[in-house]
Amino acid sequence: MGAPDATTVAPYAAGRSDYGNVSAGLDGSAAGTRLPMGGVVTAVREGSPADDAGVLPGMVVTRVEGAPLTDMVTWLWEADGDEVRLEVFDPRDATATDCVLERLPGEDWGISFDGAVFDGMRTCRNACVFCFMGMLPPHMRRSLYIRDDDYRLSFLEGNFVTLTNLTDDDVDRIVTCRLSPMNVSLHAVSPAVRRRLMGRNADRGLEVLERLVAADIEIHAQIVLCPDLNDGDELDRTLAWCEARPQVTSLGIVPLGYTRFSRHFDRSFSDDPVRARRVIDQVKPYQERARDRYGRTCFQLSDEFYLDAGIDVPAAEHYDGYPQFYDGIGMIRSYLDETDGVLAGSRATLDAVRDALERRGLRLSVVSGMAAAPTVERFVEELAPAARVIAIENRFFGGNVDVTGLICGCDLLEQVGDDLRDVMLILPDVMFNSDGMTLDGYHQQDLLRTLANRGARVLISSTQPAALLDALSDELG
C-alpha cells in the first residue's frame, strides 16, 4: 500500500460533520451492547461508497483489509486503493459483517470517524519540569490533566511528542508508512540536560529521533527554552545538532511559560528583556546560514521572544510558510499583514460596519490576552473611533500566562466592567473548547447571560481581522 500523506488526513479528522446525514448513532441498539475496538462512524456522505455499502453513523469499523482498525494511520495506509474490504459492527443487533467499498479515481470513501486513534491515546511517561499540565490549579476538569504523547497524533494532528514511549515496532511503523513530517519535542541534546529537563526516559527520545532522521523522515522540532537549564551553551549544542541534520526542516524555540502553581519556576524570558534579546542574537547566525544553504530560515523563534525583547517581529518571508504557526511562531506577523490587507481591500465593509455601530449607538470592545492586545488594537481602532481592546490579565493561572486562548471566565467577568450598556463586546472564540467551555469551567451560554445582564450585546468570533470584520458585518446587517 502507498504511504499516507499528511494532506490526506483532513477529511477524517475528529468531530467533522462535513457530510449530510450526520447522526449521533443508530436507533434501536441492542440493550447493553459494548462497542468493540475500532472507528465509530460519525457521518456518511449521501451517495458515497460508504453509503452505497450500507454503512451508517453509529456503526463501528473494526477491520480494514483484515487489519484491526486501531487508528487513522491504519485507515489511510490500508484504504488507499479503489476498493477496500471492511468488517463493520452493527450495535443494533451486535453483529459484525464484511462489506466491500468501491470508489472512482479521486473519490473519497465518504466516511468520518470519531477521532484519530481508536485503541487508546498514548500518554506521556516523562517528568518534564516545564510541563504546563504540572502547573495547573487543582480541581479542574479531569480531561485537562491528560498528557498525550502519541506519535500518531504527531503525524495526524500536528501534536508535539517526545518519542520516549515508542517501541521498536512503533519506530518501524513510522519508517515503513513514511509518517512524515513528525513534530518532535527536542528541548536539548546533552543526555544530562535532557534527563534534568524531562526525567529518566529522556535518552530514548533522542535515540528514536536519530533513527527517524537516518530514515529521512522530515522533522519539525521544538525547544521549550528554560532559563539556566537548556539555554546558553546547551542551546548552541542543540542548534548545531539540528543544523547538521537537514531532515530537521524547522526548529521552533519557545520560551518557558509558567503559572503561579509552578514548583520549579518563577521567572522566564518575559521577565528579562535583555536575556530575550540575547537569545535572538544567539540564534541569528544559524538562521543566516540556513537561508544561505536552503533558502529558508529553519530556526524559528516564537513571537514572545520579540515581544519580550521589545523588537519588531520579522517579515513574513522569515517564517518559511509558517510551519510552526500553532506553536505561536509567526502569529503576530500574520496578523499584522492580514490587517494591512483587510484595511486596503475591504474599505466598503469597514465603512458599513462603522456606520452600523454608530447608527445603533454601540461602542465596540474586543477582548484579548495581554500579549496580543497591542497587535489586535492596530486593527480594532480602525473599525470605529471609540473602539477599544480589553486586555485581560490572567489571574487564574498567574505567572507569565498572557495568551488569548487561556483567558478564563472568572478573569473576563472581573475585568470587562459591570456597566456594559451600549457595548458590542467581542469574545474571542479561542477561549472556548468545542463544548463551549472555558478552562475554568464557565460555559459560553452562562457568560453570555451574565454579560447581557450587564447590558452588553455579545458576539463570539475569531479576532483575526478578516473573520472579525465578516462576523461584525453579519451581526450588524
Side-chain angles (χ1 to χ4, degrees):
M1 312 297 286
D5 183 89
T7 59
T8 67
V9 175
Y12 310 99
R16 287 290 296 268
S17 56
D18 303 56
Y19 304 140
N21 55 333
V22 179
S23 169
L26 299 173
D27 294 331
S29 298
T33 299
R34 183 181 179 86
L35 297 181
M37 190 273 292
V40 177
V41 178
T42 58
V44 179
R45 192 185 74 248
E46 185 176 355
S48 67
D51 186 37
D52 293 342
V55 179
L56 297 172
M59 291 181 174
V60 183
V61 178
T62 55
R63 289 182 175 271
V64 52
E65 291 297 326
L69 184 54
T70 56
D71 49 48
M72 285 305 302
V73 172
T74 298
W75 175 262
L76 295 169
W77 180 258
E78 299 291 348
D80 74 330
D82 295 331
E83 181 179 295
V84 65
R85 178 170 51 90
L86 306 180
E87 180 183 88
V88 181
F89 177 83
D90 189 336
R92 293 175 296 185
D93 55 10
T95 60
T97 306
D98 289 338
C99 66
V100 176
L101 278 59
E102 298 178 351
R103 65 180 177 182
L104 298 173
E107 184 181 18
D108 66 59
W109 296 113
I111 189 170
S112 289
F113 296 105
D114 66 339
V117 296
F118 313 127
D119 61 347
M121 183 178 64
R122 309 276 185 92
T123 55
C124 186
R125 65 176 188 171
N126 302 309
C128 297
V129 294
F130 51 80
C131 179
F132 196 80
M133 304 305 171
M135 304 184 214
L136 293 179
H139 311 306
M140 300 178 73
R141 57 184 182 273
R142 291 179 60 188
S143 60
L144 295 175
Y145 299 97
I146 297 173
R147 299 183 299 162
D148 73 90
D149 197 21
D150 197 315
Y151 75 93
R152 298 167 298 180
L153 296 180
S154 175
F155 170 70
L156 293 167
E157 298 186 354
N159 294 14
F160 279 91
V161 293
T162 66
L163 306 176
T164 59
N165 60 7
L166 267 65
T167 66
D168 288 342
D169 287 342
D170 293 330
V171 180
D172 290 342
R173 188 188 190 201
I174 293 172
V175 173
T176 299
C177 295
R178 305 301 301 169
L179 303 187
S180 182
M182 294 290 288
N183 298 281
V184 179
S185 291
L186 177 59
H187 305 313
V189 294
S190 298
V193 177
R194 284 178 59 84
R195 286 192 291 271
R196 189 176 169 196
L197 284 167
M198 303 167 65
R200 63 183 181 181
N201 300 309
D203 292 351
R204 174 61 174 169
L206 196 59
E207 174 190 322
V208 169
L209 183 54
E210 288 279 24
R211 287 185 58 187
L212 298 183
V213 166
D216 206 29
I217 298 294
E218 182 183 359
I219 302 296
H220 295 303
Q222 176 202 63
I223 295 172
V224 175
L225 200 65
C226 304
D228 302 321
L229 282 177
N230 59 340
D231 59 349
D233 290 344
E234 181 60 25
L235 177 58
D236 269 324
R237 282 188 283 271
T238 307
L239 295 173
W241 188 95
C242 293
E243 187 176 48
R245 291 159 177 81
Q247 294 83 1
V248 181
T249 59
S250 75
L251 173 67
I253 306 164
V254 302
L256 165 75
Y258 65 94
T259 77
R260 61 190 173 94
F261 301 94
S262 172
R263 298 179 308 232
H264 301 283
F265 302 102
D266 59 7
R267 62 186 178 85
S268 185
F269 299 92
S270 55
D271 308 296
D272 192 338
V274 172
R275 201 163 190 168
R277 286 194 291 272
R278 192 180 303 147
V279 172
I280 295 171
D281 292 340
Q282 184 176 359
V283 175
K284 187 176 180 180
Y286 296 91
Q287 296 172 328
E288 292 174 343
R289 288 196 294 269
R291 284 195 292 268
D292 289 342
R293 186 177 304 170
Y294 304 116
R296 60 180 189 270
T297 305
C298 296
F299 300 89
Q300 304 278 0
L301 287 159
S302 74
D303 296 352
E304 292 103 315
F305 279 108
Y306 298 101
L307 295 176
D308 296 341
I311 296 174
D312 290 341
V313 296
E317 55 266 23
H318 176 91
Y319 292 102
D320 305 335
Y322 302 101
Q324 301 217 21
F325 185 81
Y326 291 105
D327 211 16
I329 296 177
M331 286 186 171
I332 297 293
R333 170 48 58 197
S334 176
Y335 194 101
L336 292 172
D337 289 350
E338 186 178 333
T339 294
D340 291 341
V342 170
L343 293 179
S346 302
R347 297 308 313 182
T349 306
L350 284 162
D351 291 342
V353 166
R354 188 180 298 113
D355 290 345
L357 288 168
E358 184 175 350
R359 201 165 51 246
R360 289 166 171 79
L362 294 172
R363 295 172 290 122
L364 181 65
S365 293
V366 179
V367 168
S368 171
M370 297 284 288
T375 305
V376 176
E377 189 172 35
R378 178 178 166 185
F379 176 68
V380 170
E381 64 186 8
E382 295 287 337
L383 289 172
R388 66 175 183 138
V389 171
I390 303 175
I392 302 296
E393 178 186 355
N394 200 314
R395 298 165 186 164
F396 182 83
F397 287 114
N400 68 345
V401 176
D402 58 5
V403 297
T404 303
L406 297 182
I407 291 175
C408 293
C410 62
D411 291 327
L412 174 77
L413 293 176
E414 182 181 337
Q415 297 175 48
V416 294
D418 294 327
D419 185 359
L420 298 174
R421 286 173 294 177
D422 302 323
V423 171
M424 167 69 80
L425 184 65
I426 308 299
L427 301 187
D429 56 4
V430 295
M431 64 179 284
F432 302 101
N433 70 2
S434 58
D435 295 323
M437 301 291 293
T438 63
L439 284 164
D440 60 335
Y442 282 82
H443 193 277
Q444 63 181 220
Q445 294 304 320
D446 297 326
L447 289 176
L448 292 177
R449 279 192 295 270
T450 301
L451 294 168
N453 288 336
R454 298 182 186 181
R457 181 169 175 175
V458 185
L459 177 63
I460 298 174
S461 168
S462 167
T463 55
Q464 290 294 122
L468 177 56
L469 182 61
D470 287 345
L472 284 167
S473 180
D474 292 343
E475 179 73 9
L476 297 170

